[in-house]
Amino acid sequence: MQLIKIIFVFRQIIYVLIPILIISFVFANLPSNGIEISSIEFIGEATLPKNLIFQKTEVGGLSGITYNPKDNLYYAISDDRGQKAAARFYTLKIDFSKGLLQKGGIIPVSVTTLLNENGQTFRPGETDTEGIALTNKVTVFISSEGNAEKLINPFIKEFSLSSGREIVTLPIPNKFLPDKTSQKGIRNNLAFESLTITPDNKHLFTATENALIQDGVAAKPNIGSPCRILQYNLLNNQSEKEFLYQTEPVAPFLNLIGKFASGLPDLLALDNQGHFLSLERSFTGLGFAISLFQVSLEEADDIHNIDSLLAVDSKNIKPVKKKLLLDLRKLDVLLDNIEGLTLGPKLPDGQQSLILISDNNFNSLQRTQILAFKMKIENPLIKVLHRFIPNFNL
């Protein structure tokens, strides 16, 4: 009888262990890029009033946005070069209480003026602030494109969230800096638009909007551009890796005015393993083309030791992996100049919110537009469990 009990217990243990071992084996052998946005749904649009004056500043040029989950607030950076007011960012409230974004759901709360290391405002023309990312230290990092034509270097600086005062400046590798010969460095107004920090706050990423001069051509109709993603280690504030990101070629549509612009205005870190959302934006002659991509650094070559892509056989360089997530032209929405994106709060149904924001260029013909989406993000283990247990949810 005792032997029968032992055999029964042993069989029960086996029945429990075998599924665990199978799932563990499958999970261990899944590719690291297994994170997947399995669905994305548009849940509303809101715009700020044109020529809105808030705390004696004109609200506009909102080129980047970041979310503070602790206080349920958003910080949006203005790319005003000091012509309307001093360099600044705005604190906003966005109402998702009903699971969607309604008209009038955006409320400005405050404006914070940026101060340099001496506690003074930046001079007009000294900055072109485009990207913003919140840290876990009650600070924000902000990127500036500089001005290549005037040899004003781009920067990435950390500022106090409360006072707006500069705390730290990250070093920019020399290959990105403009010089008098115009043979290397960033292109004017095509530099560090993007900025994002990994959830563990160990790494910061930015990217050039278009190719460095020594890397290739700027985007043209039907021709993409080889951008560089730049990775910083925030434990020592040093740059450590770079990756090739190729923007998509975009065809102009009824381009009667002959103007065309296309590039990479923002990145958003989804985890600590090199998975992102990327935003590509193009002005095509008749409106804007906006696309969201899933991006993975898996297997991408580190190119930080290559000063010029034109000086090597770039065909042998593995770029980051991209997968089109959404072409926003398919939405029933008149798109504006979308330049920034951030994750927001979890919605009432448990799904993740995503917010996009436009830079109105302080142009009366444009709008400060906020678009909202909800996304379902799955990691490899959850996907495997769903195969065996369709109703499984964490």
Side-chain angles (χ1 to χ4, degrees), residues 41-45 74 94-103 105 345-355 371-375:
E41 179 184 342
F42 178 59
I43 57 170
E45 172 193 18
Y74 301 79
I94 302 180
D95 183 9
F96 284 112
S97 60
K98 295 183 179 180
L100 48 83
L101 177 60
Q102 298 177 309
K103 294 181 179 179
K346 290 291 181 68
L347 298 168
D349 64 1
Q351 294 195 43
Q352 176 65 58
S353 62
L354 174 72
I355 295 91
L371 304 178
F373 301 83
K374 66 177 178 181
M375 303 188 303

Side-chain angles (χ1 to χ4, degrees), residues 123-143:
R123 299 186 305 272
E126 188 178 1
T127 67
D128 182 10
T129 46
E130 299 278 1
I132 185 168
L134 180 71
T135 75
N136 60 355
K137 301 183 296 182
V138 199
T139 64
V140 288
F141 275 95
I142 291 173
S143 62

Side-chain angles (χ1 to χ4, degrees), residues 71-350:
D71 298 324
N72 195 25
L73 294 171
Y74 301 79
Y75 310 111
I77 186 70
S78 174
D79 69 357
D80 179 11
R81 299 190 182 196
Q83 306 304 314
K84 302 284 185 178
R88 61 200 181 277
F89 67 85
Y90 292 91
T91 300
L92 307 173
K93 284 185 178 180
I94 302 180
D95 183 9
F96 284 112
S97 60
K98 295 183 179 180
L100 48 83
L101 177 60
Q102 298 177 309
K103 294 181 179 179
I106 313 295
I107 302 173
V109 175
S110 63
V111 57
T112 303
T113 299
L114 300 182
L115 305 175
N116 62 21
E117 58 186 352
N118 299 318
Q120 300 174 333
T121 58
F122 289 89
R123 299 186 305 272
E126 188 178 1
T127 67
D128 182 10
T129 46
E130 299 278 1
I132 185 168
L134 180 71
T135 75
N136 60 355
K137 301 183 296 182
V138 199
T139 64
V140 288
F141 275 95
I142 291 173
S143 62
S144 170
E145 290 193 295
N147 189 322
E149 293 178 352
K150 296 182 179 180
L151 298 182
I152 297 175
N153 290 336
F155 70 63
I156 303 169
K157 296 177 182 287
E158 185 179 12
F159 295 87
S160 165
L161 192 59
S162 57
S163 70
R165 184 161 182 165
E166 177 184 333
I167 300 171
V168 169
T169 299
L170 301 185
I172 306 296
N174 186 63
K175 68 171 75 74
F176 292 88
L177 304 180
D179 68 3
K180 295 179 180 179
T181 67
S182 298
Q183 298 300 307
K184 78 171 190 69
I186 57 168
R187 286 181 159 90
N188 197 50
N189 206 34
L190 293 172
F192 298 150
E193 284 248 1
S194 56
L195 205 63
T196 188
I197 295 174
T198 53
D200 62 8
N201 273 262
K202 291 183 179 179
H203 292 97
L204 175 147
F205 292 84
T206 187
T208 57
E209 188 179 358
N210 267 207
L212 298 177
I213 292 173
Q214 70 271 27
D215 280 346
V217 298
K220 299 177 181 179
N222 302 303
I223 299 175
S225 187
C227 307
R228 286 191 189 234
I229 294 177
L230 177 55
Q231 174 182 321
Y232 281 88
N233 184 333
L234 291 182
L235 299 180
N236 59 18
N237 289 336
Q238 297 298 310
S239 62
E240 56 183 10
K241 294 181 180 180
E242 295 169 24
F243 305 94
L244 173 61
Y245 180 107
Q246 184 71 42
T247 65
E248 297 300 305
V250 177
F253 180 69
L254 291 179
N255 195 353
L256 302 178
I257 60 176
K259 290 185 178 181
F260 179 87
S262 184
L264 171 64
D266 212 357
L267 288 171
L268 177 63
L270 294 174
D271 59 18
N272 305 316
Q273 286 75 47
H275 303 115
F276 303 84
L277 288 181
S278 70
L279 179 68
E280 294 189 24
R281 177 276 325 270
S282 303
F283 177 71
T284 64
L286 186 64
F288 294 91
I290 313 292
S291 295
L292 279 172
F293 293 87
Q294 294 177 234
V295 175
S296 173
L297 301 184
E298 183 190 22
E299 298 180 3
D301 289 329
D302 178 7
I303 59 172
H304 83 277
N305 286 325
I306 301 175
D307 288 336
S308 169
L309 295 179
L310 293 177
V312 299
D313 186 358
S314 60
K315 293 181 181 179
N316 295 325
I317 296 175
K318 292 182 181 179
V320 303
K321 294 181 179 179
K322 294 168 55 183
K323 176 184 176 183
L324 179 64
L325 179 64
L326 179 65
D327 182 344
L328 274 68
R329 288 177 294 186
K330 295 181 179 180
L331 302 177
D332 187 21
V333 175
L334 179 62
L335 298 173
D336 211 293
N337 184 32
I338 301 292
E339 290 194 356
L341 77 164
T342 187
L343 296 179
K346 290 291 181 68
L347 298 168
D349 64 1

Side-chain angles (χ1 to χ4, degrees), residues 348-372:
D349 64 1
Q351 294 195 43
Q352 176 65 58
S353 62
L354 174 72
I355 295 91
L356 278 60
I357 195 165
S358 75
D359 173 2
N360 69 350
N361 292 310
F362 296 97
N363 185 331
S364 61
L365 298 178
Q366 293 183 249
R367 302 161 295 154
T368 297
Q369 179 185 48
I370 297 91
L371 304 178

